[in-house]
Amino acid sequence: MATIDVYDLNKNKVAELELNDEVFNTEVKEYLIHEAVRVQLTNRRAGTVAVKNRSAVSGSGKKPFKQKGTGNARQGCKRAPQYPGGGVAFGPQQKVYNLSMNKKARRAALRSVLSLVYKENKMTVVKDLALDAISTQGFVSVLNKFDIDKTLVIVDGDNRNLTLSARNVKHVKVLQSDALNIFDVMKFQNIIFTQDAVRKVEGALQA
């Protein structure tokens, strides 16, 4: 069974934690990771970009002049694309982005990416992250002791002092364990878990 050291906020080892191999030490399936990231990013798109075509612009649908006898090319209406103020031909229209991935595959992808982070030694576990007060400087000093940056911090519940202390720190994001997602894990170079958050993630992702 995989194990990892548990530290306090001064980077003193206080315990050793056994990790669930199904979650943190399983086979890394890169194709599932790719698919899960693609689905997550695609579904973020609003799809609201659109232009007015000839049926949507305001104006009369009457023929500008008779069909024959004028010497000009025949015209249907002034809302056509070739007229100033006419509709746009072949412009973008609203689109619904709604890709899906079944729950079993999505969980397998998250297990794969967590296993990748563990195997690359980019995962740190701390006993807790209970800060005495809201202090950006205090939180940065904790990160400096662990000598890490661009960090995703996973906690087991609402931690107001930590959230407010970290919100102005560049390249740091705090998430509760139930909001863990594959894109954020891939985006940040390191992950800090609280000990309780590890257990919650294991409980949610066991096969």
Side-chain angles (χ1 to χ4, degrees):
M1 181 173 285
T3 61
I4 193 168
D5 294 335
V6 179
Y7 299 96
D8 62 15
L9 296 185
N10 292 314
K11 204 183 178 182
N12 297 317
K13 180 178 176 181
V14 295
E16 193 172 85
L17 185 66
E18 290 187 348
L19 300 175
N20 189 318
D21 285 339
E22 291 182 359
V23 178
F24 288 99
N25 196 27
T26 189
E27 178 187 357
V28 177
K29 299 178 180 178
E30 294 183 358
Y31 68 95
L32 281 179
I33 296 174
H34 173 270
E35 179 68 13
V37 171
R38 187 176 73 90
V39 168
Q40 185 174 340
L41 292 184
T42 300
N43 289 340
R44 287 184 179 184
R45 299 181 67 176
T48 53
V49 176
V51 296
K52 290 183 177 181
N53 57 24
R54 64 187 297 165
S55 66
V57 297
S58 61
S60 172
K62 182 181 177 181
K63 283 178 70 70
F65 45 81
K66 65 181 183 179
Q67 181 85 346
K68 295 179 179 294
T70 65
N72 296 315
R74 57 191 175 186
Q75 301 293 327
C77 72
K78 288 191 175 181
R79 295 184 298 172
Q82 69 268 24
Y83 282 101
V88 176
F90 310 114
Q93 298 298 317
Q94 288 191 357
K95 182 178 180 180
V96 176
Y97 293 94
N98 188 20
L99 297 183
S100 62
M101 188 176 185
N102 68 65
K103 185 184 292 186
K104 185 176 180 180
R106 191 167 61 249
R107 288 180 175 177
L110 199 47
R111 289 195 295 268
S112 289
V113 75
L114 290 175
S115 296
L116 179 64
V117 170
Y118 171 74
K119 291 174 181 178
E120 291 182 348
N121 296 318
K122 294 180 179 180
M123 174 177 166
T124 304
V125 178
V126 295
K127 187 172 179 61
D128 62 61
L129 276 168
L131 301 181
D132 296 332
I134 299 170
S135 172
T136 299
Q137 185 176 0
F139 176 70
V140 170
S141 68
V142 172
L143 293 182
N144 290 338
K145 288 175 183 176
F146 287 91
D147 193 25
I148 53 179
D149 56 6
K150 202 170 185 182
T151 304
L152 181 65
V153 181
I154 309 298
V155 295
D156 59 304
D158 187 29
N159 190 330
R160 185 173 182 273
N161 285 355
L162 175 64
T163 302
L164 295 179
S165 298
R167 65 181 176 176
N168 289 328
V169 181
K170 193 175 181 180
H171 302 314
V172 171
K173 186 173 184 177
V174 178
L175 287 178
Q176 295 189 30
S177 57
D178 56 0
L180 184 65
N181 64 88
I182 195 163
F183 175 72
D184 281 330
V185 175
M186 292 295 295
K187 178 180 178 180
F188 292 91
Q189 295 178 352
N190 301 282
I191 302 182
I192 296 177
F193 280 96
T194 63
Q195 188 171 343
D196 291 337
V198 170
R199 292 308 182 208
K200 284 194 174 183
V201 170
E202 287 178 340
L205 294 182
Q206 286 186 33

